[in-house]
Amino acid sequence: MASIRERAGSAPALAPAESIENVPEHVAIIMDGNGRWAASRGLPRLAGHEAGTSNIRRITQAAGALGIRYLTLWAFSAENWSRPQEEVSGIVRILGETLDRELDELHRQGAQLRHIGSLEGLPTELRNAVLAAIELTRENDKLVLTLAFDYSGRQELLAAIREIVAAGIPPGEIDEATIDRYLFTHDLPDPDLIIRTSGEFRLSNFLVWQSAYSELYFSPVLWPEFGPRDLEEAVRDFSRRERRFGNVSAEAARMTRERA
Ligand code: FPP
């Protein structure tokens, strides 16, 4: 795709967090473009996922440095199971290796690991390792790092509705807060900013309910190359936006008052 920017990599230098006003509290990222990154180098798709996974470390560190409190990364969608078996088992292997390699450092840096989606499709040993990592880091509060694995926004909503019905909550008592409580994300704030890399302009079933008022940022950069500077640019772009949540801007409100 001609619009995709490919670069030799981003320099890690970041402006101090205090120089950006209004840093989003919760940033969620659709990490897209691993396959195209690999193809453009004549490499197998799994090499793209390896490179994409290495990038998680530098983006997590950059997020912490920018003052982002919650970082949610979409690693695998419920629909991704339909990819070729070799790719799926490769991603599962990468998940296990990444956990082994990165967990101590994540814990040392005060990151709290969470998961949204399903762990049912994972081998028992890996599922237990993920649960143990979540338990180990439960008290950490520097950064909440949520991995969306085998995640689908519509399935999450459907499961929530089924549980609400099963709990016997009368229809008249169901409000938005009820639905929030039954989602995987019940104790996370909604994402302020959702980033998708690789020049695709859609959310693809990600955080369907929670993204209602999220600011969206689409980057042409392929995920393995989306570096700290790209994250900083997305955060700066966010910080310049005015979020109105259905209201009018402060300026428009002032003009309306003056005309009255
Ligand atoms: C999209 O690239 C990427 C994914 C399927 C998810 C991201 C996966 C990783 C970063 C590796 C797995 C990491 C963990 C921790 C399990 P794509 O394959 O859709 O790329 P394409 O659109 O260019 O084909």
Side-chain angles (χ1 to χ4, degrees):
M1 206 195 282
S3 66
I4 290 170
R5 186 157 48 106
E6 293 223 38
R7 296 145 339 140
S10 301
L14 282 174
E18 53 273 19
S19 72
I20 304 180
E21 272 179 32
N22 190 25
V23 170
E25 185 185 27
H26 183 178
V27 175
I29 306 182
I30 303 175
M31 307 181 288
D32 199 6
N34 294 345
R36 278 163 285 165
W37 180 89
S40 70
R41 283 163 177 72
L43 297 170
R45 291 180 59 82
L46 277 177
H49 295 314
E50 300 270 9
T53 303
S54 304
N55 198 34
I56 290 177
R57 175 192 262 237
R58 67 174 183 157
I59 289 300
T60 302
Q61 286 173 344
L66 284 164
I68 292 164
R69 283 271 300 127
Y70 298 86
L71 179 66
T72 298
L73 301 175
W74 200 4
F76 195 81
S77 75
E79 294 78 19
N80 286 155
W81 291 113
S82 61
R83 291 189 176 203
Q85 178 55 34
E86 191 192 337
E87 182 171 346
V88 170
S89 52
I91 291 178
V92 170
R93 171 182 57 76
I94 291 170
L95 174 62
E97 290 170 358
T98 307
L99 208 56
D100 280 351
R101 201 177 52 237
E102 304 288 344
L103 180 59
D104 285 351
E105 181 61 14
L106 266 181
H107 187 37
R108 206 183 58 75
Q109 291 197 6
Q112 182 186 133
L113 188 68
R114 295 194 185 197
H115 164 257
I116 56 173
S118 170
L119 298 175
E120 291 301 309
L122 294 180
T124 311
E125 199 183 330
L126 180 51
R127 191 186 320 144
N128 290 338
V130 174
L131 293 173
I134 291 169
E135 189 54 37
L136 174 72
T137 60
R138 185 176 292 281
E139 302 294 327
N140 294 346
D141 60 4
K142 178 89 177 38
L143 172 82
V144 176
L145 177 62
T146 302
L147 200 63
F149 187 91
D150 193 358
Y151 174 83
S152 146
R154 286 187 176 183
Q155 283 182 20
E156 176 186 34
L157 207 45
L158 186 60
I161 292 165
R162 285 184 175 146
E163 280 187 45
I164 290 167
V165 171
I169 302 176
E173 286 178 22
I174 300 171
D175 57 14
E176 292 188 10
T178 318
I179 294 176
D180 280 337
R181 273 202 308 280
Y182 281 83
L183 296 174
F184 295 131
T185 52
H186 57 89
D187 50 359
L188 295 175
D190 285 345
D192 302 293
L193 173 64
I194 298 181
I195 298 171
R196 183 171 190 151
T197 60
S198 90
E200 305 286 353
F201 298 93
R202 56 184 174 273
L203 293 181
S204 301
N205 206 3
F206 190 44
L207 300 173
V208 168
W209 174 269
Q210 302 89 332
S211 62
Y213 286 101
S214 302
E215 294 294 323
L216 307 180
Y217 183 89
F218 298 101
S219 166
V221 180
L222 302 172
W223 172 251
E225 296 194 328
F226 185 86
R229 281 209 182 144
D230 297 304
L231 179 65
E232 183 185 334
E233 182 45 42
V235 165
R236 285 192 187 280
D237 190 272
F238 170 90
S239 74
R240 290 190 290 264
R241 298 186 194 183
E242 185 189 16
R243 301 179 80 195
R244 295 196 293 276
F245 300 97
N247 206 333
V248 294
S249 69
E251 177 61 9
R254 188 185 59 75
M255 285 169 69
T256 307
R257 276 196 307 276
E258 281 175 8
R259 284 198 192 113

